[in-house]
Amino acid sequence: MSGSGGGGRTEVTVGGRKVTVTRPGKELFPEDGITKAELVDYYRAVSRPMLTHLRGRPLAMERYPDGYRGGSFFHKDVPSYFPDWIHREEIPKEGGTLDMAVCDDEATLAYLANQACLTPHLWLSPADHLDRPDRMVFDLDPPGDDFARVRWTAGKLRELLTEVGLKPLVMTTGSRGAHVLVPLDGSADFDAVRGFARAAAELLAGRHPDRLTTEVRKNRRGDRLYLDVQRNAYAQTSVAPYAVRARPHAPVATPLDWDELDDRKVGPRAFTLRDVPDRVAGEGDPWGGLKGARRSLRAARRRLDALANG
């Protein structure tokens, strides 16, 4: 799909549904001439692997109606004008409920892109078991822009998590760092998952106190990398795999093979909206075996505690 000029509208048929794209020529990333039409095309192109991560989960929409340099807002509730065919889930919250979108198909992805949702953010638990996360996330952002620290830390975290019987995966965030994601079988609640993540981070920081920290306060971290496990809580979200980020050149949060992380050319913004579709078409999804990597935390916690007490 292509659009000329910032105005007008066009219609695309996606999975039997008609999605209207308004102002298809509006530039969302003006330095690169990336338009809303191109954003819609991108999300359609990566829909197959991306939907394996989106399907069945509530999401928050990070929207940039005036482009990535303009004002933004997080939309957690589904606006009344969204079409009826978009899946909604009623989510309990303090004092009531919230209707949240669930992206189950390519048409919904296209519709969200037309709403200038650059970046979908996902719950770590599925809608049918909101209190049982099936993902654990370690967010690794360097104190500056030294991605070599992230690369080293991700490797050490992988060694530890593998040692206790888990199957960690790695993804660039498209921002400053990387996420190490651990697929879970959904048998543990958020308190147990967060407790495990915190214990693992503290053990690793204890082994490398000059490089790593779990100190929440920035002014007490020095130049150490912060092992952030705060996302592992009910109603918290994490950037979706293959999501576009609101930074110059439209970088993408990109799942990697672990071997790719050793490539010095791979940084947090190494992959963009314009090259990820070819990557997916040629190499597939490095996280294609995610379901088979799910593990229980019960035995892993026993092993972790034994390491900590050893």
Side-chain angles (χ1 to χ4, degrees):
M1 180 180 65
S2 63
S4 58
R9 61 180 57 211
T10 188
E11 192 172 72
V12 295
T13 301
V14 187
R17 301 194 184 278
K18 294 187 182 300
V19 177
T20 299
V21 181
T22 56
R23 305 184 69 192
K26 181 176 179 60
E27 292 187 340
L28 300 179
F29 294 85
E31 298 91 337
D32 299 274
I34 295 172
T35 63
K36 188 193 285 188
E38 192 169 354
L39 182 71
V40 173
D41 287 345
Y42 166 76
Y43 276 123
R44 293 187 65 189
V46 300
S47 63
R48 178 171 294 181
M50 191 172 187
L51 285 169
T52 65
H53 307 293
L54 295 171
R55 198 173 283 119
R57 295 173 191 277
L59 63 82
M61 300 166 276
E62 187 180 357
R63 297 174 61 182
Y64 289 80
D66 296 315
Y68 88 97
R69 289 187 178 278
S72 66
F73 58 96
F74 266 84
H75 226 153
K76 292 186 176 180
D77 56 325
V78 177
S80 60
Y81 56 82
F82 271 36
D84 292 342
W85 49 262
I86 287 182
H87 180 179
R88 296 157 169 80
E89 284 287 343
E90 187 175 2
I91 307 299
K93 69 170 186 176
E94 188 174 351
T97 60
L98 189 67
D99 279 340
M100 298 190 72
V102 178
C103 186
D104 285 337
D105 51 43
E106 183 182 338
T108 301
L109 257 182
Y111 186 88
L112 295 180
N114 178 60
Q115 297 299 310
C117 173
L118 296 186
T119 313
H121 296 259
L122 299 180
W123 276 47
L124 300 182
S125 56
D128 56 353
H129 292 90
L130 289 174
D131 61 341
R132 299 283 169 169
D134 58 7
R135 298 180 177 208
M136 176 168 55
V137 172
F138 295 83
D139 188 1
L140 310 180
D141 275 339
D145 288 319
D146 184 4
F147 194 71
R149 294 190 185 200
V150 175
R151 188 180 290 114
W152 180 88
T153 303
K156 293 297 181 183
L157 187 56
R158 180 195 186 191
E159 290 175 4
L160 173 61
L161 295 171
T162 301
E163 187 176 357
V164 299
L166 300 175
K167 297 286 186 180
L169 307 171
V170 68
M171 173 180 85
T172 64
T173 62
S175 181
R176 295 176 51 244
H179 283 177
V180 171
L181 180 142
V182 182
L184 304 174
D185 67 357
S187 61
D189 62 17
F190 272 104
D191 286 343
V193 172
R194 186 171 59 254
F196 179 96
R198 185 182 296 120
E202 288 173 351
L203 177 58
L204 197 61
R207 289 178 174 179
H208 307 283
D210 57 331
R211 290 176 175 247
L212 305 174
T213 182
T214 58
E215 176 57 63
V216 175
R217 287 166 289 189
K218 289 184 178 180
N219 62 356
R220 300 185 67 171
R221 295 177 194 166
D223 65 351
R224 295 173 296 174
L225 187 146
Y226 173 49
L227 296 166
D228 186 356
V229 299
Q230 300 301 316
R231 298 182 188 279
N232 298 290
Y234 182 83
Q236 294 297 306
T237 60
S238 181
V239 62
Y242 299 104
V244 177
R245 306 306 302 273
R247 297 180 72 97
H249 315 305
V252 170
T254 308
L256 303 177
D257 284 318
W258 277 103
D259 289 347
E260 291 182 284
L261 195 63
D262 295 330
D263 186 343
R264 294 299 189 265
K265 295 179 181 178
V266 173
R269 300 178 294 279
F271 303 99
T272 72
L273 171 152
R274 285 185 168 158
D275 52 47
V276 168
D278 286 343
R279 169 183 167 86
V280 168
E283 302 175 24
D285 182 11
W287 289 8
L290 185 146
K291 283 188 177 181
R294 292 175 179 170
R295 297 289 186 273
S296 166
L297 274 187
R298 189 172 303 162
R301 184 64 202 242
R302 290 197 299 268
R303 295 180 186 122
L304 183 69
D305 290 343
L307 289 175
N309 296 326

